[in-house]
Amino acid sequence: MPAYYSASCKEVLKLLKTDSGGLSQAEAEDRLNLFGPNSLKPPPPISAWKILFNQFSNFIIYLLLFAVLFSIIIGEYGDSLVILAILVLNGIIGFFQEYNANRSLEALKRMATIQAAVLRDGKLKHVTAEQLVCGDILHLEHGDKIPADARLLNVVELQLDESPLTGESMPVRKQTAPISGQPGPADQTNMVFSSTSVVEGRGLAVVTACGQETEIGKISTMISEAKEEKTPLQRRLDRFGRNIGMVIIGICLLVFLLLMSRLRIDGEPLTNPIFLQFAFISISLAVAAVPTALPAVVTIALSIGTRRLLKKNMLVRRLTSVETLGSCDVICSDKTGTLTRNQMTVREGWCLGTSVDFDQDDGIHAIKKSEQLNLLFTAGVACNNSLANLRSDSGGNPTELALLRAADKAGITFEGMRLAERPFNSRRKCMSVAVESENRSLLYSKGAPEQMLNRCTHAVIQDSSPAMKRIPLSETERNDISDTYHRFGAQAMRVIAFAYREISDNEDFDELAEEGLTFIGLQAMIDPPREGVVSAIEKAKLAHIRVIMITGDHRETANAIAKQTGIEGECVTGAEIDAMNDIDLAVTLDTTNIFARVVPEHKQRIVSGLQDKGHIVAMTGDGVNDAPALKKADIGIAIGSGTDVAHEAADFVLLDDSFISIVAGIEEGRGIYENIQKSIMLLLSGNLMEVLVIFLAVLLGFNLPLTALLLLWINLITDGAPALAYSVDPYGTAIMQRPPIPPGEGILPRTKLRLLVSLGSIGALISLVLFQLTGGGGNEVADIQRGQTVVFSYIVLFEMILVFILRRSYQVPLLSNHWLWIAVVFSLATQIFILYTPARFVFHVTALEIQEICYLLLATFVFMIPALIITRAKPN
């Protein structure tokens, strides 16, 4: 595509084979048929079946499906139905949560509803955006949304809001002259781009790119090509499932071989029934080792976290992303609308001898005491064209709206009558209005400080006397004014100077001279940080999370906002990134926390570079320009007031636009991860104990302490209920004072694995001793059943004690979760029901007597002593 910004208006019209009168209707229709409509490529349709299938695509689910099949084979239809019900419920919850999560480009189709004013056959007519073609002449006015990329041919004070595309908060003043070099979209001041909007002025432009060829079209292509990454939790669970699966298969094969070797040692013949019996024992052990309740625990924990986050104004669009937010160690934040309010705000009013700082002072009180300040803010209202926009909330020039809001905050109104206006232009760099106020005709002027100062001969001042007076402007006062506006400029504030003069009776309003003015003062404004952002960034630092600011604004503005919000580090621009290879960028990312003047491609490179260095990256943003990086990041967070495109590309949407909600989300994500980790610890400690009991019994030549049915019951009911109750457990103390989980760390780090193995091994040894003491070593079926009943009951008590032992290791208060106590009581009640009702005949167990109960209580006490010692350490 030609670089239209570098060609003259005539050359552009020639290249596009059109003229200033526009295309003919016939030619436009021919081009529309040839090149297609001005619309973006629609996203591929969402397959509900694919989303549903994805809910069952991990190794643990495969093992559980095998457990269902095996339960059917051995005739345990009840067990198979329970496991299947858990899997189906898990799949349904995940399916409905994620059904609408992959529509990244769907919102872009709303572009078709935009209307465009074009010249066809030399006449102005309105067509839909889809009907535009290259070569059409667009007529642009205040409030119009740009429907395609176009080269400007004529402008009258035209200014555009390009923040959705470039991230730059200030309106961009447009012109028509060619531009040399290779400027980015933010610096192509003679072009207008699709998705941006006109905030002031009017103009004519010729369409140079439609649909997928526009800047927004290129961004949409980047979104569609971005690979959907698995979350850290998904990766950890997959790795955990594969590892535990390999261990289970290995142990089962070993148990089967040990049983076969015992048969050979005893000299008994190998028959099909015996072979099948040994195979069933080994496979039952495999089923027992699988944490059956884990998929449900994970899904329910994430769903509960989703509801908690919604209460904190954070809408979750992808279920597994909840935990990811707690794992992130880098937040890449857009500036405009995220760290800042995206609303220009007057911070300080300054006059010779007096000033008001709205961040520190009571504006109304200070201004009422000063005639100078009163006059300054009155001038801001009088010399202004956006009052109607402020009242109707329909937009307007952000600078003028800031002046009006400052005057309103100061209690200033202007009741005079406007007589005439000299509009702003880039040559004069000022605007003036003639007004009649209090029987006087006055000229109020506002503009760039250096230009206004050159036009002033006098100034108003109010030393110690109560009355304001007019004095000649000396070199001292000029230097004072110059130093002040340069000081404001160094803080990245936009500075507007105000002046006035009286209009004589014989002056012509059409030829008002902007000379011999009296300097009033300066108003300095900036797009300020959002409320609470500074404290939120401090909390992020405390949680060992790095905050990086990425913006389309200039370096000076980026540095100023970074300083105000507490972001420290070097600043690099997009042009400097272009000059870097990937190795240089990787080095730069170690020390740079401020990126200015960037485009979407830069954002993606930054996010990719951080991911390559092993970081879990969260990206926040609100504009179209943020969407590709939002989708590329491990976790995308869109601002609620941002564009639809950003919402659809993100995993989360901040409904209140508050950076504080991100920190709350991180805390929620960390808490959810800990609760899932506790559930896995509980499930695996019990499962490991059961596996060790069977394995050691076979190894030592004992009778089997547990049957397949008892193993399945413990996994599905006894430890399943408390594991689910962990989903609503309060979070441990100091959860936001520890570093994020390292990306390479498994779902159970070594310290947790050691704790799990220690507790499971102690419990297994105690179980074997109990089994032998209570008749398990005998040859009578009744004695073996009694021993199995004691071991079965001990494992239930073991896991109920373990519920609270594990919470202690995570520093969770004992009485803080009533659902957990209910789950424990439920598990104990079902155990009593099985032992002392006819249900014991179904489970092939016996009612326990006083002696056996005493053994159980003693064994439980013996387990608790080392368990309490082991869990004294704080969580990693």
Side-chain angles (χ1 to χ4, degrees), residues 224-242:
S224 62
E225 291 175 352
K227 184 180 177 182
E228 198 71 55
E229 303 286 345
K230 282 189 174 182
T231 70
L233 179 63
Q234 288 175 315
R235 292 195 291 267
R236 289 184 177 112
L237 285 175
D238 285 349
R239 190 163 62 244
F240 171 73
R242 287 193 299 270

Side-chain angles (χ1 to χ4, degrees), residues 255 422 569 736:
V255 168
R422 287 197 68 181
M736 291 297 285

Side-chain angles (χ1 to χ4, degrees), residues 829-841:
T830 55
Q831 185 68 13
I832 293 170
F833 175 82
I834 290 170
L835 296 183
Y836 296 102
T837 68
R840 65 179 179 272
F841 300 115

Side-chain angles (χ1 to χ4, degrees), residues 264-284:
R264 184 178 293 274
I265 292 171
D266 294 341
E268 296 183 26
L270 177 63
T271 61
N272 281 339
I274 293 176
F275 179 85
L276 287 175
Q277 181 185 5
F278 288 172
F280 283 161
I281 290 171
S282 300
I283 295 172
S284 297

Side-chain angles (χ1 to χ4, degrees), residues 280-300:
F280 283 161
I281 290 171
S282 300
I283 295 172
S284 297
L285 187 61
V287 173
V290 178
T292 312
L294 181 58
V297 166
V298 171
T299 302
I300 291 172

